[in-house]
């Protein structure tokens, strides 16, 4: 295994955080197989520990900023 993140499909509104059930923006692909999904908060909370065990992190939290910017622009 190279440590490079295998191609994965983008997270959708149907993907939920394994910890709290909120919309998932972070996927942790585990070295032994399988993955975990996290909201932005829990993704930040567990990222260091997950990387320490060799997980690759797919972080889509930048979509939160894009959504907020679009909402602010629409309000003008």
């Amino acid at each position: 295994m190279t440590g490079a993140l295998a191609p994965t499909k983008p997270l959708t509104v149907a993907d939920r955080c394994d910890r709290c059930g909120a919309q998932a923006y972070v996927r942790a692909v585990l070295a032994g197989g399988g993955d975990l999904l996290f909201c932005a908060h829990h993704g930040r909370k567990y990222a260091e520990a997950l990387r320490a065990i060799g997980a690759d992190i797919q972080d889509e939290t930048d979509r939160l900023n894009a959504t907020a910017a679009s909402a602010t622009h629409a309000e003008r």
Side-chain angles (χ1 to χ4, degrees):
M1 189 168 214
T2 64
L5 183 62
T8 56
K9 61 184 179 180
L11 295 166
T12 70
V13 70
D15 292 311
R16 309 313 285 179
C17 177
D18 290 329
R19 184 72 177 136
C20 69
Q23 184 174 349
Y25 288 94
V26 177
R27 175 182 282 126
V29 180
L30 305 175
D35 60 1
L36 298 169
L37 301 177
F38 295 107
C39 64
H41 165 78
H42 286 111
R44 283 188 301 272
K45 183 174 180 177
Y46 299 118
E48 186 177 327
L50 288 164
R51 283 189 185 100
I53 63 167
D56 286 317
I57 307 295
Q58 174 187 347
D59 185 344
E60 297 183 12
T61 56
D62 58 324
R63 292 176 34 216
L64 289 167
N65 294 332
T67 302
S70 295
T72 301
H73 182 68
E75 292 174 0
R76 292 181 187 176

